[in-house]
Amino acid sequence: MAFAEEKVFKYPAEDECLVRRLGAGVIAAWPNLPRDVQDMIFEQAKIVWDREFHVSKLPEKMSAIIRRRHA
């Protein structure tokens, strides 16, 4: 049985502004996304490469930024 290889999204420093803008777009559109898509985005966001490798309480912090935007 073959296992799917988990790929980690990495981006060069010069693309960071694009990644931030896409992230902000996702946050803005969040309430209109189906629940399964929201779940998939959260799962992918947990494994994405970032300069800050270990962020404590990452899921809670991601949820908080969405709540602040849509409060």
Side-chain angles (χ1 to χ4, degrees):
M1 182 166 145
F3 290 94
E5 181 182 334
E6 186 175 289
K7 293 186 178 185
V8 175
F9 174 68
K10 289 188 174 186
Y11 54 89
E14 62 268 16
D15 288 350
E16 188 166 347
C17 67
L18 304 172
V19 173
R20 283 195 314 265
R21 287 172 186 256
L22 283 168
V26 168
I27 292 169
W30 194 260
N32 301 314
L33 299 174
R35 181 63 188 198
D36 62 324
V37 173
Q38 292 175 347
D39 292 343
M40 181 182 63
I41 290 170
F42 258 66
E43 290 306 311
Q44 291 297 310
K46 286 189 234 175
I47 63 169
V48 74
W49 174 88
D50 191 77
R51 289 180 295 167
E52 296 181 40
F53 178 70
H54 178 72
V55 177
S56 67
K57 300 180 182 178
L58 181 62
E60 293 89 350
K61 289 178 179 177
M62 290 190 302
S63 294
I65 197 169
I66 292 169
R67 282 193 309 272
R68 281 196 310 266
R69 167 63 167 83
H70 298 286

